[in-house]
Amino acid sequence: MEKIIIIKYGELSTKKDNINFFLKKLKENILFSLKDLDVEVTYDLGRMFIHAMNHFDEVISRIKNIFGIHEISIGYTIDSTDFNCIKEEILKLLKEKEFITFKVESKRSNKKLDTTSIELSKNLGAYILKNIRNLKVDVKNPEIVVNVEYRLHNTLVYFDKIKGSGGYPVGTLGKGLLMLSGGIDSPVAGYLAMKRGVKIEAIYFESPPHTSIEAKNKVKRLAQKLAVYNNDIVLHVVNFTLIQEAIYKNIPHEYLITIMRRMMYRISAILASKRNAKILINGESIGQVASQTLTSMSAINEVVNIPVIRPLACFDKLDIIDIAKKIDTYETSILPFEDCCTIFVPKHPVINPNIGKCHEYEELIPFKDLIYEAVKTHEVIKIQAHEEDKAFKDLL
Ligand code: ATP
Ligand code: MG
């Protein structure tokens, strides 16, 4: 009998044709997150297993963040399909536990067995009652559920079930580029995209000296929080100062944000194509600010062909905040450092920008050269999930 971590991959089991691709990725992601621990990962017959030696608690706390996992149990494999032998082993396990009420749940993945799951549960239940005194069966609210899975070559037993993160393994749906600001919304948008199996890289626009090093460190810190779900994360930092100053000096102020965001989209699309990212992801939410009315969104979106995914498009702010708290980005997001949008915000931004005017105003600045320069000089930072970085530790 081996103590083992058992993983159920729920939604994945519906991906019949490319299940092996999904499972390989899931295994790879699990191994990556446990790379400093001595573990082995195997899978067969609808279950994945982590042979974890004695790091069980640490392994569980890490794999809770891995998408594609539906449920986790610490259990045992019994190397036998013989019912008498199985009964004995389960009895041994139960004798070490303190409880009065229990029930047995059986699952047969070995369809050759001629006994039904219900009969198997009844037989085992009766055997337990006979061999351990003073126990009672309670099917509604038992203290212990004895889960037994009868498989082709062995048998699984487990007593507890821990909820996993769900979703698809990160990377199975390709790559996306997340427009990551220091706000509350964009990290949540990134989280939701990763949950659908999209591996992300992030892009951040900074405008030194108008924006501070603390603002950049805050974004690095947010990227690190997201890296937990993404294996690690590549952060592209684009210097936006010259573009922003050119817009500020030359373009009517009510169009500042619209034109600025058109520039951000253009640069993001170029970097996405260079990095083989198939979509842009951002934290826009319909109606949240002037640049997120439907007219604004379409005037901004007009400059790129790449699909722009907005996971929060229809979310209320309070619901977004709930997720931000759950994934532990909220406290970092509300730190007070200004990002480039907040500094250049005009008093009366246009709510229904006119696309013709956008084109006209953009003629006033050499934006193609500025974009070329910004892309060419951008900084690439690789951020690891558990890396210690004094700069952003000091932030909190
Ligand atoms: P908040 O939570 O305050 O709304 P926000 O980051 O969502 O913060 P918005 O002005 O609503 O700020 O911006 C909409 C989206 O545009 C962001 O969610 C983000 O995806 C992208 N964005 C804004 N500013 C930047 C930036 N400096 N760098 C990268 N992406 C940005
Ligand atoms: Mg927002």
Side-chain angles (χ1 to χ4, degrees):
M1 194 159 47
E2 184 197 3
K3 190 172 173 187
I4 204 167
I5 292 172
I6 303 164
I7 290 171
K8 294 185 195 164
Y9 31 82
E11 208 177 337
L12 283 193
S13 38
T14 59
K15 299 249 161 272
K16 289 217 165 53
D17 291 342
N18 43 15
I19 184 81
N20 276 331
F21 167 67
F22 276 73
L23 290 178
K24 252 177 89 182
K25 205 50 155 191
L26 180 58
K27 176 175 171 179
E28 204 178 292
N29 293 348
I30 291 174
L31 282 173
F32 188 92
S33 88
L34 305 177
K35 62 178 184 285
D36 54 326
L37 304 176
D38 185 14
V39 300
E40 202 190 315
V41 176
T42 56
Y43 54 89
D44 69 10
L45 300 176
R47 299 281 179 261
M48 193 165 278
F49 304 99
I50 306 182
H51 309 262
M53 309 299 176
N54 36 27
H55 314 292
F56 287 93
D57 292 342
E58 181 62 22
V59 169
I60 299 272
S61 93
R62 292 195 204 175
I63 64 173
K64 268 192 199 164
N65 292 328
I66 293 183
F67 293 124
I69 296 179
H70 179 73
E71 204 173 82
I72 307 162
S73 298
I74 297 182
Y76 301 85
T77 46
I78 300 169
D79 267 332
S80 171
T81 52
D82 172 62
F83 194 54
N84 288 328
C85 169
I86 295 166
K87 285 194 300 193
E88 283 304 315
E89 294 290 351
I90 293 177
L91 204 60
K92 270 190 227 156
L93 290 172
L94 287 175
K95 279 184 175 162
E96 283 168 24
K97 293 186 174 287
E98 275 190 27
F99 65 102
I100 307 255
T101 58
F102 75 101
K103 76 168 171 180
V104 179
E105 291 267 349
S106 307
K107 185 174 163 23
R108 295 177 317 149
S109 28
N110 180 0
K111 300 293 177 205
K112 282 187 195 150
L113 277 174
D114 47 15
T115 332
T116 65
S117 301
I118 294 175
E119 278 174 296
L120 286 165
S121 295
K122 272 192 186 159
N123 289 349
L124 181 59
Y127 183 76
I128 295 169
L129 285 173
K130 200 172 117 198
N131 285 282
I132 308 180
R133 279 161 180 260
N134 299 328
L135 295 187
K136 278 191 206 131
V137 172
D138 179 347
V139 287
K140 284 213 174 106
N141 198 17
E143 285 166 76
I144 283 196
V145 181
V146 184
N147 296 283
V148 190
E149 294 190 11
Y150 297 88
R151 293 153 48 92
L152 221 46
H153 304 296
N154 61 8
T155 306
L156 303 179
V157 188
Y158 50 94
F159 306 102
D160 302 303
K161 294 175 177 176
I162 303 162
K163 202 171 171 341
S165 288
Y168 299 134
V170 162
T172 48
L173 271 293
K175 205 197 285 181
L177 182 62
L178 170 69
M179 300 169 74
L180 181 62
S181 66
I184 295 167
D185 301 332
S186 46
V188 174
Y191 169 82
L192 293 175
M194 289 186 285
K195 185 164 183 179
R196 294 332 291 163
V198 180
K199 172 131 180 151
I200 60 171
E201 294 195 6
I203 180 168
Y204 167 60
F205 296 91
E206 61 166 357
S207 297
H210 312 296
T211 57
S212 61
I213 187 75
E214 284 88 354
K216 178 177 174 177
N217 283 336
K218 179 178 158 184
V219 173
K220 281 167 71 177
R221 173 83 172 154
L222 288 170
Q224 192 189 36
K225 301 251 178 203
L226 296 180
V228 170
Y229 309 96
N230 199 60
N231 293 347
D232 51 24
I233 203 163
V234 177
L235 173 66
H236 302 269
V237 180
V238 176
N239 187 319
F240 205 54
T241 311
L242 292 179
I243 297 177
Q244 205 144 25
E245 288 176 351
I247 297 173
Y248 197 70
K249 277 186 205 134
N250 297 292
I251 288 175
H253 279 195
E254 57 167 354
Y255 272 73
L256 285 186
I257 301 273
T258 316
I259 305 294
M260 191 180 84
R261 297 194 60 74
R262 284 165 62 97
M263 299 300 165
M264 283 186 180
Y265 267 51
R266 287 185 173 108
I267 294 173
S268 303
I270 294 170
L271 273 175
S273 133
K274 278 185 190 296
R275 300 292 300 174
N276 198 24
K278 300 284 183 270
I279 53 169
L280 297 183
I281 302 148
N282 67 36
E284 289 171 352
S285 179
I286 298 171
Q288 197 183 75
V289 284
S291 61
Q292 291 164 32
T293 63
L294 297 186
T295 324
S296 281
M297 280 172 155
S298 80
I300 293 163
N301 207 147
E302 187 230 4
V303 298
V304 296
N305 288 321
I306 183 171
V308 181
I309 302 294
R310 301 171 177 85
L312 306 179
C314 302
F315 276 51
D316 285 353
K317 191 76 184 191
L318 288 179
D319 297 332
I320 300 172
I321 289 175
D322 280 348
I323 304 178
K325 286 184 176 161
K326 190 181 97 185
I327 64 172
D328 192 33
T329 53
Y330 182 73
E331 293 299 325
T332 308
S333 290
I334 58 171
L335 291 170
F337 314 113
E338 305 280 3
D339 82 8
C340 59
C341 302
T342 31
I343 289 169
F344 290 92
V345 164
K347 278 211 183 72
H348 301 291
V350 60
I351 289 172
N352 288 309
N354 174 294
I355 291 187
K357 279 194 181 155
C358 292
H359 291 180
E360 189 187 315
Y361 295 152
E362 281 174 354
E363 291 301 313
L364 303 172
I365 55 172
F367 75 88
K368 286 189 184 140
D369 296 345
L370 289 169
I371 284 178
Y372 177 80
E373 202 50 34
V375 170
K376 203 174 84 180
T377 59
H378 89 278
E379 180 191 1
V380 182
I381 307 173
K382 192 159 185 188
I383 294 180
Q384 265 144 27
H386 302 286
E387 183 182 37
E388 296 279 317
D389 186 326
K390 199 174 171 312
F392 46 90
K393 263 197 134 183
D394 286 352
L395 275 173
L396 295 173

